[in-house]
Amino acid sequence: MDTVSLTGKELAAAINADTKQRAAALTETGAAPRLALVVANDDPASAWYVNSLRKAAERLGIACDTVDLGADAGVEAIRAELTARGADAATDAIMLQTPLPAGITLDDVSSAIVATKDVDGVSPLSLGLLAAGLDGFVPATSEAVVELLKHHGIPLSGRHVAVVGRSNIVGKPLAQLLLAEDATVTVCHSRTADLAAITSSAEIVVAAAGRIGLVTGKHVAEGATVIDVGTNEAADGGIVGDVDAESVRGKASGLSPVPGGVGPVTTALLMRHVVDAAQRARA
Ligand code: NDP
């Protein structure tokens, strides 16, 4: 079987074109939409990601402040910065980078991000709104998976989707979004007894575990669609996903590439959320 490459570049470009127009319209009537990126690490992968977000914002006419609190920042300092940005009328959107300093989890600090500016949907309030099916910002990566599937014309209603990974920022919110699309969802994790038995019974498999090559041909049914969310550092310094593309290609009907699949759509949706937040704040 020919495996179609489910790329995200076209979709990201379409979202970005719209975001750019909306950002320009907001700038004309006042100030450019403004995103605050709060960083508390010295991780090279995070620095690379922050830089790519800054460039994406610049291309779209979104102002971007990077607030570097240092890798030894404490819970109070991080919460204070998030709270201050929440109260700052000039800041439309807030994103907290991970990893956080050793010993600090997202749960320790994310409640300090006000929901109206929480453009990556990480705060407990945003996650609760999503679980309840109410309006709020949803985590961009999870939303990107659903948008990528829709863009490529893959139906979700009534279909069995296996999600590998149950983190609060990818797996769990993705399961909620898929349920809202009337899919039947199985969420797998590191204690799942027989991963291959479950994933190979699904029509769509989403790999979001952060494990290189976890999903192989034996995990995938003939003709299934596979979305690779993983962004792992390869031995050569490049980025590789969670799917062993070689063994899945020829068996799956579609596979999203890494890089170039979920990643560009995630960034585009984040920037769209920034403009959404700015528009609502100024309405
Ligand atoms: P986490 O480490 O927070 O969660 C990983 C999840 O995978 C956990 O639920 C874990 O299970 C599960 N898991 C780990 N090993 C296995 C295994 N052998 N079998 C089944 N399940 C397993 O990662 P994130 O959710 O933050 O990220 C997941 C991946 O997505 C990473 O590669 C990350 O880089 C990538 N990512 C990509 C983005 C993009 O825009 N493309 C954005 C955000 C993340 P358990 O709960 O039992 O520990």
Side-chain angles (χ1 to χ4, degrees):
M1 160 171 304
D2 279 348
T3 304
V4 175
S5 180
L6 305 174
T7 70
K9 289 183 179 167
E10 246 178 43
L11 173 58
I15 296 168
N16 286 337
D18 179 60
T19 300
K20 193 172 179 176
Q21 273 191 356
R22 291 173 60 211
L26 284 167
T27 304
E28 258 177 44
T29 59
R34 181 170 290 274
L35 166 68
L37 286 169
V38 180
V39 184
N41 66 59
D42 52 13
D43 180 68
S46 166
W48 181 89
Y49 186 53
V50 166
N51 196 34
S52 77
L53 287 178
R54 289 185 64 87
K55 283 192 199 151
E58 198 179 322
R59 277 195 300 271
L60 299 173
I62 292 170
C64 189
D65 303 327
T66 306
V67 189
D68 191 350
L69 300 174
D72 54 0
V75 169
E76 286 318 315
I78 298 170
R79 292 187 65 91
E81 181 62 35
L82 296 172
T83 305
R85 288 286 168 164
D88 173 27
T91 300
D92 295 300
I94 302 168
M95 237 193 109
L96 175 64
Q97 287 307 299
T98 54
L100 293 165
I104 301 179
T105 67
L106 199 53
D107 293 339
D108 295 325
V109 291
S110 60
S111 61
I113 305 175
V114 63
T116 49
K117 300 187 184 185
D118 181 20
V119 283
D120 206 14
V122 297
S123 76
L125 181 52
S126 300
L127 292 169
L129 289 169
L130 173 60
L134 299 172
D135 249 6
F137 285 117
V138 304
T141 305
S142 312
E143 189 182 11
V145 171
V146 173
E147 292 302 315
L148 190 64
L149 286 164
K150 286 184 179 172
H151 171 74
H152 287 283
I154 293 152
L156 288 167
S157 179
R159 303 187 89 202
H160 180 201
V161 185
V163 176
V164 185
R166 59 172 166 181
S167 74
N168 277 346
I169 58 164
V170 187
K172 277 189 210 161
L174 175 58
Q176 300 290 352
L177 289 173
L178 291 166
L179 284 174
E181 297 291 334
D182 298 322
T184 302
V185 186
T186 308
V187 181
C188 309
H189 46 78
S190 66
R191 305 292 173 89
T192 296
D194 188 348
L195 183 65
I198 293 169
T199 55
S200 65
S201 74
E203 289 148 300
I204 299 169
V205 179
V206 183
R211 299 280 181 274
I212 296 175
L214 176 65
V215 171
T216 66
K218 77 167 184 184
H219 294 86
V220 174
E222 192 76 32
T225 298
V226 182
I227 302 293
D228 194 351
V229 180
T231 49
N232 311 295
E233 205 178 324
D236 65 0
I239 285 180
V240 288
D242 288 357
V243 176
D244 174 31
E246 211 169 298
S247 67
V248 167
R249 232 176 258 128
K251 198 168 183 196
S253 57
L255 169 64
S256 70
V258 176
V262 174
V265 182
T266 299
T267 303
L269 289 171
L270 262 176
M271 296 301 151
R272 175 152 91 185
H273 292 177
V274 175
V275 172
D276 288 343
Q279 206 155 22
R280 281 178 211 154
R282 294 167 202 196

